[in-house]
Amino acid sequence: MELLDSLIDQVGENESHPLASMMDVIAVLIENYEAEHIPELEEVG
């Protein structure tokens, strides 16, 4: 997460930035990890 946060700070919304594609890949990897290893909280109400 720290790496992704750092990349977001550097890349921002600039899709042509050299690190933009790496930022996208890391975001997907984190999403996949969380989907497999972190149970979703049930909504109350």
Side-chain angles (χ1 to χ4, degrees):
M1 290 298 296
E2 285 182 38
L3 176 58
L4 181 58
D5 288 342
S6 176
L7 287 170
I8 291 170
D9 290 343
Q10 291 180 41
V11 174
E13 298 292 323
N14 182 1
E15 293 181 10
S16 64
H17 191 285
L19 297 175
S21 60
M22 185 168 97
M23 182 178 72
D24 292 339
V25 169
I26 291 172
V28 169
L29 291 172
I30 290 170
E31 287 177 19
N32 290 344
Y33 176 86
E34 288 178 346
E36 289 183 27
H37 295 95
I38 300 174
E40 290 189 32
L41 298 176
E42 292 183 24
E43 292 186 28
V44 177

